[in-house]
Amino acid sequence: MPFPFPDVSDRTLADLLSLRGRPAVITGGAQGLGFAIARRFAEAGAPVAIADINGTAAASAATRLAGEFGVATTSIEMDVTREESVVAGIEAAIEALGALSIWVNNAGVFPSAPADRMPIDAWDRVFEVNTRGTFIGSREAAKRMGPDGGVIVNIVSTAGFQSPAPGLAAYVSSKHAVRGMTKAMALDFAPLGVRVIGVAPSYVPTEGNIAMAQAMMEQAAAAGIEVPPMDVMSQSLIGRVGTPDDIARVALFAASDLATIMTGSVLLADAGETI
Ligand SMILES: NC(=O)c1ccc[n+]([C@@H]2O[C@H](COP(=O)([O-])OP(=O)(O)OC[C@H]3O[C@@H](n4cnc5c(N)ncnc54)[C@H](O)[C@@H]3O)[C@@H](O)[C@H]2O)c1
């Protein structure tokens, strides 16, 4: 018998958008898209846990959000690839925030190498973080969401729909898997009252991908290879590249009761690049 997701048609827009009383954990929330998502969630009133492999950065992100929005926040040093780390982190978040209503699988890595030269360790790491990490986090979160259910938001990528650039075989494969997992978990978790929604951004400058692009340019320069600058604007239909906050607002919609009708879908947040 499916969980009866309530009909919310008589509630106000402001109430539907509010995340007050809905504790949220954002993996990889110390910087980049994860921090932008945590920030909008906190503004919407959610108590927020920043879970990141970088515990120091997670702590300062959590402190910053508490100061800015006056919500309860906590930080957790968590490696999403390790079951025991995820379980301990979720329990710590529930202890600190009182419950768990929203889980965002955002932690991700994106090393780039042509498929004919990609070391197997790099392939495995991408799948460990992006795919295995999403599976472990979702499984452990869904069963702790309580009688009112909750929402899992998976940060996919347009790389879950297409292969947007060379050198991304592992990343593209891992994100296609997360897109598939979003559908499979929506089915499995519906009886628990848990919606599962994906958000698929196109390229957005963040600390992580700026550093990666820099490292690639330096490696190429050291090898005497001339690499043309990446044309990230070539397919945007909105006249600019997306920002972390563009993605955070879509994640907020997905997590809020505005999106009660949605589960198992992946929302393209891509400036029209994937049409
Ligand atoms: N930025 C983009 O252009 C873009 C586009 C599409 C999808 N995405 C996806 O969005 C997510 C965030 O990307 P970003 O650009 O903000 O990256 P980022 O590198 O700036 O931030 C990623 C965060 O995840 C953390 N992290 C890494 N491995 C972890 C682990 N094992 N356990 C816990 N935390 C870990 C890092 O410490 C970091 O704080 C990723 O899943 C990425 O694939 C990004």
Side-chain angles (χ1 to χ4, degrees), residues 27-34 51-54 57 78-81 105-110 125 129-130 155-159 171 175 199-209:
T27 72
Q31 65 177 39
L33 301 188
D52 203 288
I53 199 165
N54 183 340
M78 177 191 291
D79 180 349
V80 297
T81 69
N105 287 302
N106 166 79
V109 293
F110 25 82
R125 186 64 187 160
V129 179
N130 298 4
I155 304 305
V156 189
S157 167
T158 50
Y171 185 69
K175 292 294 186 176
V199 173
S202 50
Y203 175 83
V204 172
T206 59
E207 292 91 329
N209 61 17

